[in-house]
Amino acid sequence: MSPTTLEAQGLLIQQHNTNNPSSDAGKKITGILAKVKEGAEQVGTKIQAKVETVVKQINETGKESSDGIKRITPRMEATHVMEVAQLLLSLIHSWGLDPHLDKVCESQLGLLRPMVPISFGVLSKGGYMSLLLPTWQNTIKQETVQKLLQSSDMQLSKALPENLLRQEALTKLFTARLHWELSTTITSNHLLGMVAMSNTLMSMKMATFVPESERARKLMKQATKNNVAWASDDDHEEQLITEQQAQIKQGWSLLSTHHCFLLPDKIDAMEPKNFKRPQVELMARRWQHHCIEIREAAQQMLLGELGRMGKKGRKQLVENWAQYLPQYTHTEPIVQQTQPSSPGSTSPSALSPSAAQQQQAEAEEEVEEEEEVVRQKPSSLAELKRKQSTAVIILGVIGAEFGQDISIETGANGKKPTTEQQQRRKSSIVEGFGIGNNNLARLTAMALTHLLLAPPTPKLPAYTQLRRAAIDLIGRGFTVWEPYLDVSKVLLGLLEISCDSSRLVPSLTYKLPLTPQADACRTARHALRLIATARPAAFITTMAREVARYNTLQQNSQALSVPLTQSVLHRAKKEILQCVEMLIEKMQSDMAALLVEVTDITLHCLDMSDLKNRSLNEVCPSICKFNQVSHCSSTRRIAVGASNGHMAIYELRQNKCQMIPAHSQPITALAFSPDGKYLVSYSCSENRLSFWQTSTGMFGLGQSQTRCIKGYSTAPIPDIARLNPMRLGKLIWINNRTVTLMLADGSETRFNV
């Protein structure tokens, strides 16, 4: 304490005569100072002890607090992500075009209607931002604003000041129309983001921005309206929640459909030719984006935009991008581009004078467009490569999705069409993928095949978006590219990528991100199934030919020193079997015509050791759906009836197959006897049933000999019963010497050996 303080408290009296101090006052002061010092030391000790205790507690609870922070952070991040998604969707949505959809967005989805026009910007690759101001007053007609102010919605808010009314009118005009008249880049990115996020939220459960308390209040109100006890009826509560979830999913579906397909037509109806359409080039580059939701949205938007273009628009698009299509050959990966002629172009000398004059007039009209194309020539090698990649995807999509609906016009009575008809026919082949102009289809098919089969290089890695796009487009447009492809190489290339599908491709239930290798594997699997479904005969015959080649190599593997375990057919057995089973399930009648080839492929994919103790129906139930297939476990033989009347008998012990001419018409059914000594075959077209006996050498060694020992003529089947060839007849052995023929009309006939 200072002397002034002591004096203020009455403990120290100011001495005017300092030469005569009082001894009593000095003693009091000394005692007080000693007590103050002792108290300060005790307080300091207590404070130090308290600090040490607090520090110790913090150190002990540090780990627990960090774990709590780690648990809270994901929730906060998820909340922020949903808030950002709500904000973006609310700003991008085209409010005012569909009143019903706007009501759904506000009540069911929880979107927020903007109150003022928004300024959007575009960020360039160099990091520069271009800000687009949508509230240009001088570009909006006064009549349009007055018409909005006089609308019924605006009449309800007449109490507002005039400036607020005008601002609300401008906001409605901007969200409904001006937003989509700014820039093609803005339109492309906004529509892509809207469709992708809508599809993502549609796949989620109860994905709405409406607060949970608000949803509960609506459910309570609905339950009260229906006079149902909320707490007592759990089933009704669950039903209401299910209905609410279905309404939310339907709302996201309507939002996605509106922006993906309906938006351009509605804006064109309001103000024709002002809508900035999405960029086809931007959608094509995202055809196989690493994010599956963005990929699906880009594919939907690109196909929708190509459909809206019409034939003339697609023709113009093909002509613009055909010049960038890389020309691949078998030896040189890419050839230097020269000035290519547009697909379907003809020389003026081959035309009539009137046609030549017309073409010259059209050429003069298109001078300005050609000059614009020349100005947009690639300025660097990187831009050229980017345009080549985009050209492959655009031409591949047009050829795969729109190249099959082109028909060739012929002259009357089969006569050669005139020059005018030829010109009309060439103009009708708008996509350039018709028979009259197969050069573009051939070049596109070669480019896609090269991207599939080319070995990985630093410039073209193994798993890229471009390779995945080529794989996907080969599967989508296989019927267009098939005449120009080596089907065996394409199928083996796809199997090479997809052979590790069970290990690489996880379940997509939780929308987990895929690695590039797993994504390529998933795309190749889908392409294989598209090819098999589009051309089942080509798929089966090609795979059967490759299996026969593999079996030949397997017999001579020791002499050739070929590691067959590393071959594609050995590693992709599971994938091949899945494709065959899918074809049997979907196209059973088509597979019946190729049953011997299907059996060859199936036996190649199965493990022969499984057939020692188990029947074929247990190992592969799909192949046993055919009445023309029978398996004998005791003799380890499989018999298959072919469509040409022959029987194929497989000796599983010796891994051999024997073809026997049994009937002159397709075999309807066959079956082994229980002891395996006899085989019965039936052909409904020939109306004949035959018994066969197979004998082998001692201990099953030597060449087996199959001969017909008895034949019966059967009653003809009515024509109406032949509509389903898979159920024409079935053979069932009653004992080792008697068989029953069961026909589709329900009749049964017994035959004895």
Side-chain angles (χ1 to χ4, degrees):
M1 293 184 179
S2 63
T4 307
T5 307
L6 294 174
E7 183 181 357
Q9 293 181 359
L11 300 177
L12 180 62
I13 301 176
Q14 186 177 2
Q15 297 289 337
H16 298 283
N17 188 7
T18 59
N19 295 327
N20 298 315
S22 175
S23 59
D24 296 335
K27 292 179 180 179
K28 291 181 180 180
I29 293 171
T30 304
I32 291 173
L33 291 176
K35 290 180 180 180
V36 170
K37 183 178 181 182
E38 182 181 358
E41 291 178 354
Q42 292 178 357
V43 170
T45 304
K46 292 180 180 179
I47 292 175
Q48 181 68 24
K50 185 68 176 178
V51 169
E52 292 178 356
T53 305
V54 172
V55 170
K56 186 177 180 180
Q57 291 178 355
I58 291 175
N59 292 333
E60 290 178 354
T61 60
K63 295 182 179 180
E64 297 180 1
S65 62
S66 62
D67 294 340
I69 292 174
K70 290 181 180 178
R71 288 194 298 267
I72 295 173
T73 301
R75 299 178 185 175
M76 295 176 62
E77 291 178 353
T79 305
H80 292 330
V81 168
M82 295 300 289
E83 290 177 353
V84 171
Q86 180 187 18
L87 179 61
L88 290 177
L89 290 174
S90 301
L91 296 178
I92 295 175
H93 174 51
S94 55
W95 300 92
L97 285 180
D98 190 341
H100 172 69
L101 180 61
D102 294 345
K103 184 178 180 181
V104 171
C105 289
E106 289 183 307
S107 61
Q108 299 290 342
L109 307 182
L111 299 186
L112 308 174
R113 187 188 293 268
M115 302 302 295
V116 294
I118 310 300
S119 298
F120 295 109
V122 180
L123 192 65
S124 66
K125 290 184 178 180
Y128 299 99
M129 183 173 181
S130 170
L131 190 64
L132 305 176
L133 300 177
T135 53
W136 295 318
Q137 304 295 330
N138 55 354
T139 60
I140 303 175
K141 296 180 180 179
Q142 189 67 23
E143 298 83 359
T144 306
V145 179
Q146 291 297 330
K147 190 180 298 183
L148 283 174
L149 291 174
Q150 295 173 2
S151 62
S152 58
D153 296 339
M154 302 298 295
Q155 292 294 327
L156 298 177
S157 7
K158 276 189 174 180
L160 297 175
E162 184 179 355
N163 58 341
L164 293 181
L165 285 175
R166 179 176 176 81
Q167 184 177 2
E168 186 176 356
L170 290 175
T171 303
K172 285 189 175 183
L173 180 63
F174 169 71
T175 55
R177 202 192 80 195
L178 299 181
H179 176 190
W180 312 105
E181 297 177 358
L182 297 175
S183 165
T184 56
T185 306
I186 289 286
T187 301
S188 303
N189 289 317
H190 285 186
L191 290 181
L192 185 62
M194 174 62 75
V195 175
M197 286 192 286
S198 300
N199 292 340
T200 303
L201 294 170
M202 182 172 56
S203 64
M204 298 169 62
K205 185 177 180 180
M206 297 295 287
T208 176
F209 302 113
V210 178
E212 188 175 357
S213 58
E214 181 70 17
R215 297 202 305 269
R217 187 186 64 81
K218 289 183 179 180
L219 290 177
M220 181 75 72
K221 182 178 179 181
Q222 189 173 358
T224 306
K225 183 179 179 181
N226 297 334
N227 296 324
V228 177
W230 175 259
S232 61
D233 195 351
D234 294 338
D235 295 337
H236 186 73
E237 177 184 356
E238 185 177 355
Q239 181 181 359
L240 291 178
I241 294 176
T242 304
E243 292 177 356
Q244 188 181 49
Q245 182 177 351
Q247 292 175 357
I248 293 172
K249 287 183 176 291
Q250 185 181 8
W252 291 120
S253 177
L254 291 174
L255 191 65
S256 175
T257 305
H258 171 79
H259 289 88
C260 189
F261 300 105
L262 306 179
L263 181 66
D265 297 333
K266 290 188 176 183
I267 294 181
D268 285 339
M270 296 173 57
E271 190 73 22
K273 298 182 180 181
N274 281 347
F275 175 65
K276 301 294 184 181
R277 294 189 172 275
Q279 293 181 0
V280 174
E281 181 178 356
L282 188 143
M283 299 297 122
R285 291 176 184 171
R286 288 160 177 76
W287 182 263
Q288 280 293 321
H289 196 270
H290 62 272
C291 179
I292 296 179
E293 289 78 11
I294 295 179
R295 176 191 312 177
E296 294 174 351
Q299 292 177 2
Q300 293 176 3
M301 290 181 57
L302 180 57
L303 294 178
E305 187 63 24
L306 291 175
R308 280 191 293 270
M309 283 183 180
K311 292 185 176 181
K312 292 184 178 179
R314 292 193 293 270
K315 176 184 177 182
Q316 184 64 36
L317 190 65
V318 167
E319 291 179 350
N320 292 339
W321 284 99
Q323 58 182 333
Y324 298 113
L325 183 66
Q327 299 179 2
Y328 294 95
T329 60
H330 297 287
T331 57
E332 189 69 21
I334 186 170
V335 179
Q336 294 294 331
Q337 297 282 88
T338 58
Q339 288 294 335
S341 59
S342 61
S345 61
T346 56
S347 60
S349 59
L351 303 176
S352 61
S354 59
Q357 293 176 359
Q358 183 179 1
Q359 186 177 9
Q360 184 178 1
E362 293 175 355
E364 292 176 355
E365 293 175 357
E366 296 176 355
V367 168
E368 297 180 358
E369 297 180 0
E370 291 178 357
E371 290 177 355
E372 293 178 358
V373 172
V374 169
R375 294 194 194 99
Q376 296 177 358
K377 280 187 176 181
S379 58
S380 63
L381 183 60
E383 186 179 356
L384 175 61
K385 291 182 179 179
R386 185 170 63 250
K387 286 189 175 295
Q388 288 180 345
S389 303
T390 308
V392 171
I393 298 176
I394 291 178
L395 296 179
V397 172
I398 294 177
E401 300 294 336
F402 302 95
Q404 303 176 22
D405 57 352
I406 303 165
S407 59
I408 303 301
E409 298 181 5
T410 57
N413 300 325
K415 295 182 179 180
K416 184 178 180 180
T418 61
T419 304
E420 184 178 357
Q421 290 176 340
Q422 288 181 359
Q423 190 66 20
R424 189 185 306 117
R425 179 184 63 80
K426 288 183 178 180
S427 63
S428 67
I429 306 176
V430 292
E431 279 78 17
F433 293 98
I435 299 178
N437 183 17
N438 57 6
N439 187 49
L440 185 60
R442 181 179 61 84
L443 293 177
T444 307
M446 290 179 64
L448 296 175
T449 309
H450 175 80
L451 293 172
L452 168 65
L453 303 177
T457 59
K459 294 183 179 180
L460 186 63
Y463 309 108
T464 60
Q465 296 185 20
L466 183 58
R467 282 187 186 266
R468 285 202 308 270
I471 293 171
D472 179 62
L473 293 174
I474 287 176
R476 288 173 178 261
F478 184 75
T479 54
V480 178
W481 322 124
E482 184 184 5
Y484 318 104
L485 297 179
D486 188 339
V487 181
S488 298
K489 289 185 178 180
V490 170
L491 292 181
L492 292 178
L494 294 174
L495 288 172
E496 177 72 33
I497 300 174
S498 61
C499 60
D500 296 330
S501 58
S502 58
R503 180 176 59 88
L504 291 175
V505 181
S507 174
L508 297 179
T509 306
Y510 301 101
K511 300 293 183 181
L512 297 176
L514 296 175
T515 62
Q517 185 178 2
D519 203 352
C521 180
R522 174 177 175 269
T523 307
R525 289 180 63 191
H526 183 61
L528 272 174
R529 281 151 179 75
L530 289 178
I531 293 174
T533 307
R535 288 288 187 266
F539 178 83
I540 293 297
T541 53
T542 304
M543 293 309 305
R545 186 167 59 250
E546 293 298 326
V547 167
R549 187 177 301 162
Y550 174 86
N551 293 335
T552 303
L553 291 176
Q554 190 176 26
Q555 295 175 358
N556 303 324
S557 59
Q558 295 181 355
L560 299 176
S561 301
V562 179
L564 294 179
T565 56
Q566 300 299 323
S567 64
V568 178
L569 286 180
H570 180 81
R571 292 186 291 116
K573 286 183 177 181
K574 184 177 180 180
E575 193 66 30
I576 298 172
L577 185 60
Q578 289 178 357
C579 292
V580 172
E581 290 176 346
M582 179 203 66
L583 288 177
I584 293 175
E585 185 70 25
K586 293 183 177 180
M587 303 178 175
Q588 195 168 359
S589 58
D590 294 337
M591 294 298 100
L594 301 167
L595 198 52
V596 175
E597 289 82 359
V598 172
T599 308
D600 289 340
I601 301 172
T602 304
L603 293 179
H604 165 76
C605 299
L606 296 178
D607 189 356
M608 290 296 104
S609 60
D610 293 340
L611 293 175
K612 291 182 179 179
N613 303 319
R614 301 166 62 189
S615 65
L616 183 63
N617 192 20
E618 296 176 359
V619 178
C620 185
S622 59
I623 195 68
C624 293
K625 292 181 179 180
F626 298 96
N627 296 327
Q628 302 96 314
V629 178
S630 179
H631 175 228
C632 180
S633 301
S634 58
T635 59
R636 295 194 62 195
R637 287 182 297 178
I638 297 176
V640 179
S643 59
N644 58 358
H646 287 56
M647 282 193 313
I649 299 179
Y650 295 86
E651 299 283 351
L652 300 183
R653 287 193 179 98
Q654 302 176 3
N655 197 17
K656 293 182 179 179
C657 178
Q658 181 184 6
M659 295 294 295
I660 301 173
H663 296 271
S664 60
Q665 297 294 330
I667 296 178
T668 306
L670 50 78
F672 277 108
S673 61
D675 57 3
K677 293 182 179 180
Y678 301 103
L679 175 66
V680 60
S681 63
Y682 167 68
S683 174
C684 68
S685 301
E686 192 180 3
N687 298 324
R688 184 169 180 79
L689 184 141
S690 302
F691 285 95
W692 304 81
Q693 185 179 21
T694 303
S695 61
T696 58
M698 187 176 296
F699 305 110
L701 301 176
Q703 183 69 28
S704 62
Q705 297 178 358
T706 304
R707 57 189 180 90
C708 182
I709 58 176
K710 187 176 290 189
Y712 294 93
S713 296
T714 59
I717 297 179
D719 293 338
I720 192 171
R722 301 175 186 269
L723 297 178
N724 190 353
M726 301 306 302
R727 297 184 179 180
L728 286 177
K730 188 175 183 180
L731 293 168
I732 299 177
W733 285 87
I734 300 177
N735 51 50
N736 290 332
R737 310 270 310 175
T738 306
V739 68
T740 300
L741 173 62
M742 303 177 63
L743 299 179
D745 56 0
S747 61
E748 298 183 5
T749 309
R750 293 188 178 183
F751 299 91
N752 295 321
V753 178

